[in-house]
Amino acid sequence: MTRSAKATVRPFKVPVIDITRWEMGSARYRAAIAAQVDAAASNIGFMQFTGHGVPESAIHGLGLALDSFFDQPLPAKRAAQGPSAGIARGYSPPSTERPAYSLGARSPGDLFEAFTVGTQASDHRDRALPATDYPENIWPVGLPRFRPQVMTWFEAAQNVARRLTRIFAVSLDLPEGFFHTYTGHSLDALRLSSGPVVPDDPAEPDRPAMGAHTDFGILTVLWSDPVNALQIMDHEGRWQNVLPEPGALVVNLGDLMARWTNDRWVSAVHRVASPTDTRGHAARRRSAAFFHGGNFDALVTALPSCVDSAHPAKYPPVTIAGHISQSRGGLDAAGPKISRSRRW
Ligand SMILES: O=C(O)CCC(=O)C(=O)O
Ligand SMILES: [Fe+2]
């Protein structure tokens, strides 16, 4: 077999990186972790982390919260719906989201249902944050454990995201706390979902539960049941399944990070196919995607370690709010768009 033939059969793999000892590791150990992160971020934009420090009890509570909310009848879920589809808070029923439009594709509405919470203006009363970017959360009534279980996960995922940005900073030859200057009132959101919600339609066997898109913030921390559904587009344009390793959290970079690194790091196109078990049968899959977006008023300028004479800065400086509204431009209108991004 020739070398190139071998290369084409190499299985697609999202690297698993153990960060248990990041804080107390030697300089050599930390450099090795930072190099693994840089390689994964530059090649595929996805990685998995073990040793992330999230206690088993938080994962257990998240599972209970997902079941308690999504197992309710539709009217009870609808009672926790947000004031409008444009505000990412509370329950969103199936087919109200069209992320693939931002990629220029005309896909039908997505099949997933979701429940979203995020950073609220009232979390930072000293700052007068805009309520449109930092809307208040909506909580279901009659599920007293749901809110503490979800908030425990929100805070755990936020801690993971903040810890990862320290590792990212070292990977990018920056001071370890570099990103924290940009994330004190970060636009963060946690999107819980459960699927499939409708049986597969034989007329549209390939219709994904969530269409192809990129995330638009700094990074996304994803927990899900170990069921095939999440797919990344590889360098040859083929969809590749990403199955989380036991105990690992899947992390991907968003468009903001790609822009910040002057495209040294990748914001990968991904989608969620109809969930299937190892035998290919339809399966239930719960997921929790935590989007770490950064301060809405932070100014993002290409990182010095990502710019040189061979790689001049490609993008002008932008505020994170400006980046989001440019990305939303690609969301709101149907038809081909420049923006490939969707949400944090
Ligand atoms: O549920 C998932 O696996 C990922 C969802 C996702 O890509 C997103 O919400 O942006
Ligand atoms: Fe995504």
Side-chain angles (χ1 to χ4, degrees):
M1 195 184 275
T2 64
R3 275 190 68 167
S4 62
K6 251 187 198 156
T8 58
V9 297
R10 197 175 50 193
F12 182 88
K13 200 153 164 32
V14 174
V16 183
I17 305 173
D18 179 5
I19 55 171
T20 313
R21 293 176 52 241
W22 171 258
E23 280 76 13
M24 58 269 195
S26 64
R28 217 169 118 214
Y29 169 87
R30 286 158 63 94
I33 303 260
Q36 286 177 61
V37 166
D38 186 35
S42 307
N43 290 327
I44 55 173
F46 268 79
M47 50 206 102
Q48 308 189 53
F49 290 99
T50 55
H52 44 68
V54 179
E56 192 54 48
S57 59
I59 300 178
H60 181 68
L62 174 67
L64 295 175
L66 280 155
D67 292 345
S68 70
F69 183 77
F70 289 107
D71 287 351
Q72 297 179 108
L74 188 60
K77 290 185 274 194
R78 279 195 182 275
Q81 219 166 320
S84 82
I87 295 179
R89 291 293 182 269
Y91 178 63
S92 20
S95 290
T96 55
E97 296 255 340
R98 296 175 179 235
Y101 275 10
S102 63
L103 282 165
R106 281 178 160 274
S107 76
D110 289 320
L111 297 181
F112 75 97
E113 57 177 349
F115 182 92
T116 308
V117 296
T119 317
Q120 318 167 97
S122 60
D123 297 335
H124 300 273
R125 291 202 189 278
D126 50 325
R127 290 193 173 269
L129 299 174
T132 42
D133 292 304
Y134 295 85
E136 297 300 304
N137 287 327
I138 292 165
W139 294 102
V141 290
L143 297 176
R145 311 280 323 266
F146 181 80
R147 180 172 177 167
Q149 285 162 339
V150 169
M151 285 315 293
T152 297
W153 184 264
F154 185 91
E155 280 153 29
Q158 193 170 49
N159 285 337
V160 171
R162 290 178 64 79
R163 190 166 172 232
L164 290 178
T165 60
R166 297 183 77 85
I167 301 177
F168 286 6
V170 174
S171 302
L172 293 164
D173 301 316
L174 299 164
E176 195 170 336
F178 176 86
F179 289 107
H180 288 190
T181 322
Y182 298 84
T183 56
H185 48 280
S186 183
L187 289 161
D188 290 349
L190 172 66
R191 166 161 297 231
L192 309 177
S193 65
S194 182
V197 292
V198 289
D200 281 345
D201 181 351
E204 291 184 275
D206 295 329
R207 182 176 174 187
M210 184 187 290
H213 66 279
T214 56
D215 296 350
F216 68 56
I218 297 173
L219 67 88
T220 305
V221 177
L222 177 74
W223 173 88
S224 80
D225 283 317
V227 167
N228 276 327
L230 177 63
Q231 299 181 325
I232 308 177
M233 190 177 278
D234 69 14
H235 294 299
E236 280 80 43
R238 292 174 306 215
W239 289 112
Q240 301 279 1
N241 285 323
V242 182
L243 202 58
E245 293 284 324
L249 293 171
V250 173
V251 169
N252 64 291
L253 309 176
D255 295 348
L256 186 67
M257 203 58 179
R259 179 174 177 141
W260 221 335
T261 60
N262 204 27
D263 287 336
R264 168 167 153 189
W265 285 4
V266 178
S267 173
V269 176
H270 56 283
R271 69 176 189 179
V272 183
S274 290
T276 50
D277 64 19
T278 45
R279 287 171 304 160
H281 297 149
R284 176 163 185 246
R285 175 178 183 269
R286 301 162 305 168
S287 71
F290 177 86
F291 305 97
H292 191 46
N295 299 345
F296 85 111
D297 50 352
L299 188 68
V300 168
T301 306
L303 298 169
S305 53
C306 301
V307 175
D308 59 25
S309 54
H311 306 91
K314 291 176 160 181
Y315 310 102
V318 69
T319 61
I320 290 179
H323 168 76
I324 291 171
S325 64
Q326 283 171 20
S327 303
R328 286 224 175 103
L331 250 188
D332 294 339
K337 282 287 145 197
I338 304 152
S339 165
R340 302 186 319 151
S341 51
R342 183 171 68 88
R343 70 161 92 86
W344 54 84

